[in-house]
Amino acid sequence: MATALRDISEIDHSKVPDASNMCFGIVVSEWNSVVTNALLKGAVDTLERHGALPENIHVKTVPGSFELIYGAHQMTLNGGYDAIIILGSVIRGETPHFDYICQGVTYGIASLNVKNEIPVVYGLLTTDTMEQALDRAGGKLGNKGDECAVVAIKMAKF
């Protein structure tokens, strides 16, 4: 469902499994950091809300969204994670760069999910404006980081 039709953080938290025995990797892009830091806060807060211990939430940063693929791949190799979350924000500009980055990251994360036993949760915001990104990073449409954390917990239990 399009997020314009509902708050993406409208989650029934009573149906989320306990995460107290789980370990999570989070790879977050430094690009558009006002957005990605808010996504990260939402994800970490939600993981902890469902029992994940702070020492079992490992955060790594990468320069941009395209590098999320490499970061997530490295986390799958280094093991010990029940799920990995990628968080980034690409905002449309005047060139086709937006399309290439969004498509590349999408294919890259899909490939990791097919090839590995650890779920990699897609948390890349692909918006036309900074306002749209902020609306999805703790603004009027909730926080996509929160949603990604819930998905990570559920997929780790899959």
Side-chain angles (χ1 to χ4, degrees):
M1 176 181 289
T3 55
L5 304 177
R6 71 177 186 100
D7 181 330
I8 57 179
S9 294
E10 289 177 2
I11 297 166
D12 184 352
H13 287 275
S14 68
K15 295 183 179 179
V16 179
D18 177 50
S20 59
N21 292 321
M22 296 180 183
C23 186
F24 299 93
I26 302 175
V27 185
V28 61
S29 171
E30 295 171 341
W31 195 259
N32 293 325
S33 62
V34 68
V35 175
T36 60
N37 287 340
L39 294 172
L40 177 61
K41 180 176 180 349
V44 170
D45 288 351
T46 298
L47 291 172
E48 290 179 354
R49 174 180 179 179
H50 291 286
L53 301 173
E55 59 268 23
N56 289 336
I57 302 170
H58 302 193
V59 178
K60 298 286 186 178
T61 59
V62 293
S65 291
F66 197 76
E67 292 77 26
L68 292 166
I69 305 163
Y70 178 83
H73 179 64
Q74 290 303 306
M75 284 190 158
T76 66
L77 295 176
N78 294 328
Y81 299 107
D82 294 290
I84 297 164
I85 302 167
I86 63 113
L87 298 171
S89 172
V90 182
I91 299 169
R92 188 177 301 278
E94 297 177 357
T95 69
H97 178 75
F98 172 90
D99 299 312
Y100 299 131
I101 296 300
C102 295
Q103 186 174 56
V105 175
T106 300
Y107 288 152
I109 298 305
S111 177
L112 289 176
N113 275 303
V114 170
K115 294 178 182 177
N116 295 292
E117 295 180 14
I118 302 167
V120 180
V121 177
Y122 183 89
L124 180 69
L125 293 182
T126 57
T127 60
D128 290 326
T129 66
M130 177 63 82
E131 181 183 358
Q132 290 173 342
L134 293 171
D135 285 347
R136 290 156 177 80
K140 67 182 180 183
L141 293 173
N143 191 315
K144 184 73 171 177
D146 176 47
E147 180 181 318
C148 289
V150 169
V151 171
I153 295 166
K154 289 181 175 184
M155 290 306 296
K157 285 286 191 182
F158 184 76

